[in-house]
Amino acid sequence: MKDKKIIILVDDNPDLLYSVQKGLESLGDYKVITVESGRKCLRLLKDVKPDLILLDIMMPGMDGWDTCAKIKNNKKTEDTPIVFLTAKTDPISKSMGRLASADYITKPFDMKELKKRIDSVIKSK
């Protein structure tokens, strides 16, 4: 059996963290690690090398834009694919998000579609 892909899911909504973690782990060969903030994600990245980061944009403290910038500006993590998973649907956010990340997925989303898009990003890295 192949190794599970490690995904870090960053979102301040505990219900979303739980449902996405359980959904993805049941659909694929994933180990989903959840964190509630950008700062916790950055601390976790010191010890964990994920295959992909699912990142919310609107979070208190450090938002997803700042978190993404810090990940991309670190030599150790700059190649880690980031997929924004967000409720921000305005055209400017979508355009910026597509430039800064491997994919931009808006909430609400279909779990099987989310898995398909994650698979695509991981395969292309």
Side-chain angles (χ1 to χ4, degrees):
M1 183 171 170
K2 64 181 181 174
D3 292 347
K4 291 186 180 240
K5 299 292 184 189
I6 297 173
I7 296 173
I8 295 177
L9 171 59
V10 188
D11 199 296
D12 59 322
N13 179 332
D15 292 334
L16 183 124
L17 290 174
Y18 178 81
S19 62
V20 172
Q21 179 185 35
K22 295 304 176 195
L24 286 177
E25 287 180 348
S26 71
L27 287 173
D29 289 324
Y30 302 119
K31 168 68 179 145
V32 180
I33 302 169
T34 61
V35 291
E36 315 76 44
S37 72
R39 283 186 176 78
K40 287 183 180 179
C41 174
L42 295 175
R43 283 196 298 269
L44 181 62
L45 287 171
K46 292 177 182 173
D47 301 316
V48 176
K49 177 73 171 137
D51 295 283
L52 183 134
I53 298 170
L54 283 174
L55 182 59
D56 186 22
I57 292 174
M58 296 183 293
M59 297 182 289
M62 182 184 296
D63 66 16
W65 300 121
D66 288 340
T67 304
C68 179
K70 288 187 183 307
I71 292 167
K72 294 298 180 188
N73 288 324
N74 180 329
K75 288 284 182 215
K76 185 179 170 198
T77 58
E78 67 184 356
D79 294 331
T80 304
I82 295 173
V83 172
F84 282 117
L85 187 62
T86 183
K88 289 188 73 69
T89 59
D90 63 281
I92 292 172
S93 293
K94 284 182 174 183
S95 294
M96 285 177 48
R98 287 192 180 106
L99 287 173
S101 67
D103 201 349
Y104 190 96
I105 301 169
T106 56
K107 301 172 186 172
F109 53 87
D110 175 76
M111 192 63 67
K112 288 180 181 169
E113 179 65 21
L114 176 62
K115 179 198 178 301
K116 190 184 309 178
R117 289 171 73 173
I118 288 170
D119 288 343
S120 175
V121 170
I122 289 175
K123 279 182 190 146
S124 69
K125 80 171 197 175

